[in-house]
Amino acid sequence: MIGVEKMHWSDVAAKRLAERGEKHIISTGITPSGEFHIGHLREILTGDMLTKAALKAGLDVEFVFIVDSADPLRKVYSFLDDDYEAYIGHQLKQIPPPTPEGKPDHERFSNGISYADHFLEPFKEALDQIDVRPRFIDNFESYASGKFSEMARIACNKATEIREIIERVSGRELSEEWFPWNPIDSTGSIDGITVTGWNDPYVEWIDSNGQSGRSDVTKGEGKLPWRIDWPAKWAWIGVTMEPFGKDHGAAGGSYDTGKEIIELFGKQAPVDLTYEWISLRGQGAMSSSSGNTIGPLEALSLVPPEILRYLIASTKPNKAIEFDTGMGLVTLADEFERTASRDFAIELDNEDLSRRKRVAVEDAQIAVELSSISASNEASQVTFRHLALLAQTKSNDGDVWASIGIQDQVSPSMIDRLHRMRTWIASRHFPEELRITILEHPNSEALALFGDEERTILPRIIELFTTCEWTSPGIQAAISNSAKSIELSPRVAYRTLYLTIMGVEKGPRLPAILSELNRETILSLLKQCL
RNA sequence: GGGCCUGUAGCUUAGUCAGGUAGAGCGACGGACUCUUAAUCCGUAGGUCGCGGGUUCGAACCCCGUCAGGCCCGCCA
């Protein structure tokens, strides 16, 4: 007995789903309290990949994304002006979006754009680019339209049971005034308000200003607290699976209480999948409030969407990811290119493949499948590294295509890729290691590495550079000939040039780069090195 | 304080559930190509599997302890 087949993480989860039936709703949700970041992308991509795996397994599945716009503003975040003090406790759908300076933008708000919308819109654009197309559910609208009515009434009627569950499972003690409904007070806030009575379907309250009133829980005049709000959503939407961050997944966390609370609603808790967080390399966890973020759109301006998908697809959910916008991104992108261009059918055909290797091949194959964007499925003709080189040495796109040899059939995705590469090179994220730098003055440390051969060949190079055709082939011939004419390896000529022009011993292919530069500038630099 | 997750070559990691003397990619190094030397091809080196015990004929894997990082028990993907 070899054992049960091992599978890609998405298939393992799909199998768990299949054990529960045919029809499924996979849900994800995010609070639009600040700028979305690539950490949020893990939530939504994990959900998207689970959906695809479930479809592959023959299940009837729908993917939804709940926008938690009914959540209140918790505090004045660092990117907000103190004017937002007045909105603390107010629901995100009910307050104005910030201007670029962080002030409340009343004008846009009067045009129907809320704080929640402000942050959601760019994220939707990113989702479109990475080909994630969920059904959006606006939580605030859901409350307003009565979707939560039944669950809210059950929760209020079973306040004692819910209190018991939360206190027992989370191990924390709830205050005397605690009630499973947060009404909206006379100013629009759900903070600092005390529930004084419950007369189905009305919650009676008194707020911090001494004002009293009552809220109809079936009309969304308030909201359920998070720990009840979540299972209530599972219940009314019919969620059967939900991936969530490790913060919710810890023992005693909101999933643990939620799975008991939902039973009061007469439903079953969804299958869970806890995923680790994404941090920014060298900077710790990402957080919208601290400004330590990379937005999905910023990430997408640097790399094609399939690379971001690949990052999630190829990493098991319980592994923390350190997102590296420098060399790590190059390595990731190159790994994707290599993997995507493999012929898995042939590899799997090999009978001698060990079990372990076979699983690894299948895993890679599925990761690639989950990464590809439906529209453009072709393999790219260049590695990221190489494209980075070409983009830096050839200012004209046509020259780049000619160098790759695809000038007659340039695909839209290649053009797209080159443009992203140019953006990346211009950004602060581009790794110095890959950046081509041409010296303005000779580097004495580099020249100290000169040997007899280098000293001998330099005058020959200068001589041939003075007369050769200043094109890539012309320069290449000149370099080659400078060495051959005095019976040295071209290697020496290249080393000499790297030391004189870039101050390093090795480097990228020189002829193309030099042809982009001014001949006199190079000659002058070389002569200074004599 | 209680609980959960993670720790494997310089880097990213597979393998841990079902124990059988560690696999891969990147990088590094070396070589090849009458060769655009960060391209391509071939090869080499590199691991006391965080640490210490235990169980076992046998442990990266199971058990106990311990260290480090992260998280939850208010809110956060």
Side-chain angles (χ1 to χ4, degrees):
Chain A
M1 179 66 184
I2 295 175
V4 181
E5 204 179 336
K6 288 181 189 171
M7 302 175 279
H8 187 264
W9 60 262
S10 64
D11 293 321
V12 174
K15 202 173 156 221
R16 283 176 68 203
L17 259 194
E19 286 163 7
R20 296 222 342 206
E22 281 289 304
K23 197 164 160 41
H24 293 281
I25 293 182
I26 295 176
S27 169
T28 54
I30 299 173
T31 305
S33 57
E35 197 190 327
F36 284 66
H37 50 68
I38 51 167
H40 295 113
L41 228 40
R42 188 167 207 178
E43 162 105 4
I44 199 99
L45 280 173
T46 302
D48 180 64
M49 289 169 188
L50 289 173
T51 306
K52 289 193 160 68
L55 281 173
K56 195 171 62 180
L59 304 176
D60 173 3
V61 55
E62 188 190 15
F63 180 38
V64 303
F65 174 31
I66 300 162
V67 182
D68 285 320
S69 55
D71 288 7
L73 184 70
R74 301 273 174 214
K75 62 175 182 181
V76 179
Y77 299 111
S78 58
F79 54 86
L80 295 177
D81 188 272
D82 287 343
D83 286 358
Y84 270 96
E85 193 77 43
Y87 296 115
I88 289 179
H90 293 230
Q91 294 176 292
L92 300 174
K93 193 79 174 185
Q94 298 288 73
I95 61 177
T99 61
E101 293 76 39
K103 289 192 173 295
D105 189 336
H106 298 288
E107 195 184 329
R108 273 202 300 158
F109 190 45
S110 66
N111 290 327
I113 300 184
S114 69
Y115 185 99
D117 299 326
H118 171 83
F119 290 109
L120 182 63
E121 279 316 309
F123 190 62
K124 277 186 164 171
E125 202 180 307
L127 290 184
D128 194 56
Q129 283 193 44
I130 57 174
D131 198 31
V132 174
R133 303 174 198 289
R135 177 181 127 214
F136 288 91
I137 295 178
D138 185 296
N139 217 34
F140 182 84
E141 302 293 342
S142 302
Y143 272 104
S145 62
K147 297 284 200 308
F148 280 91
S149 301
E150 192 191 341
M151 305 315 150
R153 288 179 53 208
I154 294 173
C156 293
N157 284 322
K158 299 190 175 180
T160 316
E161 289 94 321
I162 292 180
R163 169 190 288 272
E164 188 277 324
I165 291 171
I166 294 178
E167 292 193 329
R168 171 172 47 80
V169 177
S170 76
R172 79 184 221 249
E173 204 174 320
L174 297 173
S175 75
E176 281 299 310
E177 294 92 52
W178 183 88
F179 192 74
W181 180 262
N182 294 332
I184 297 171
D185 73 7
S186 56
T187 67
S189 170
I190 62 172
D191 279 355
I193 186 167
T194 308
V195 171
T196 54
W198 162 242
N199 275 309
D200 194 353
Y202 299 106
V203 165
E204 285 160 22
W205 49 261
I206 179 161
D207 69 18
S208 50
N209 305 316
Q211 296 269 5
S212 61
R214 65 177 198 177
S215 297
D216 184 339
V217 304
T218 66
K219 295 201 167 65
E221 292 168 1
K223 78 180 285 283
L224 293 162
W226 164 246
R227 284 193 184 245
I228 304 152
D229 176 274
W230 202 18
K233 281 184 285 205
W234 294 340
W236 79 257
I237 296 169
V239 177
T240 56
M241 172 157 223
E242 177 151 354
F244 44 81
K246 62 172 173 177
D247 48 339
H248 294 315
S254 44
Y255 179 77
D256 268 6
T257 49
K259 74 183 175 197
E260 290 202 31
I261 291 170
I262 194 173
E263 287 175 19
L264 301 177
F265 301 143
K267 296 281 173 60
Q268 194 185 3
V271 172
D272 59 310
L273 184 101
T274 309
Y275 59 86
E276 256 286 354
W277 286 11
I278 298 183
S279 59
L280 228 42
R281 188 171 174 81
Q283 294 174 58
M286 241 173 296
S287 145
S288 311
S289 44
S290 70
N292 179 24
T293 63
I294 288 277
L297 282 174
E298 187 179 4
L300 282 166
S301 73
L302 310 179
V303 289
E306 53 268 34
I307 308 285
L308 289 182
R309 293 187 64 101
Y310 184 71
L311 175 68
I312 303 302
S314 62
T315 313
K316 291 199 288 193
N318 70 346
K319 280 281 182 186
I321 293 176
E322 269 198 53
F323 192 71
D324 177 357
T325 52
M327 263 330 272
L329 209 47
V330 181
T331 307
L332 178 73
D334 277 346
E335 182 186 313
F336 173 72
E337 300 296 353
R338 260 197 322 276
T339 313
S341 59
R342 280 161 61 178
D343 190 328
F344 294 109
I346 291 180
E347 290 186 44
L348 291 171
D349 226 28
N350 180 0
E351 298 287 331
D352 300 332
L353 218 51
S354 73
R355 247 197 70 67
R356 200 173 265 189
K357 289 220 168 133
R358 181 169 296 273
V359 169
V361 173
E362 287 170 351
D363 242 40
Q365 180 178 26
I366 291 165
V368 168
E369 281 170 16
L370 289 174
S371 306
S372 62
I373 303 291
S374 45
S376 69
N377 214 354
E378 80 233 63
S380 134
Q381 294 97 331
V382 239
T383 64
F384 242 65
R385 257 194 141 73
H386 194 47
L387 188 62
L389 189 65
L390 295 174
Q392 286 181 89
T393 54
K394 299 178 188 303
S395 46
N396 183 320
D397 288 4
D399 294 342
V400 173
W401 310 136
S403 167
I404 307 167
I406 58 167
Q407 58 273 48
D408 300 327
Q409 23 134 13
V410 184
S411 66
S413 75
M414 283 305 292
I415 293 171
D416 188 59
R417 171 162 305 200
L418 178 59
H419 287 166
R420 289 184 215 265
M421 181 57 79
R422 293 205 191 278
T423 306
W424 191 21
I425 290 166
S427 80
R428 66 198 159 97
H429 303 295
F430 192 73
E432 285 310 310
E433 202 179 328
L434 285 187
R435 188 153 263 151
I436 296 172
T437 42
I438 305 298
L439 295 176
E440 288 182 19
H441 306 288
N443 177 323
S444 53
E445 284 176 37
L447 294 185
L449 297 170
F450 259 37
D452 288 343
E453 293 184 329
E454 284 79 9
R455 269 186 283 276
T456 312
I457 207 166
L458 186 53
R460 290 291 299 156
I461 295 174
I462 293 173
E463 194 183 327
L464 292 174
F465 270 14
T466 310
T467 55
C468 77
E469 196 183 331
W470 199 249
T471 59
S472 189
I475 292 167
Q476 193 235 308
I479 295 172
S480 235
N481 292 335
S482 71
K484 288 175 187 166
S485 67
I486 50 176
E487 294 186 346
L488 283 173
S489 158
R491 178 189 305 263
V492 178
Y494 281 109
R495 181 177 144 88
T496 306
L497 285 167
Y498 288 123
L499 287 171
T500 51
I501 295 172
M502 298 180 179
V504 291
E505 290 186 77
K506 281 189 166 185
R509 303 165 181 189
L510 271 176
I513 298 166
L514 294 182
S515 69
E516 291 282 319
L517 299 168
N518 181 285
R519 186 204 302 250
E520 295 312 318
T521 311
I522 295 297
L523 282 174
S524 148
L525 181 61
L526 293 180
K527 285 172 184 165
Q528 290 176 60
C529 296
L530 278 172

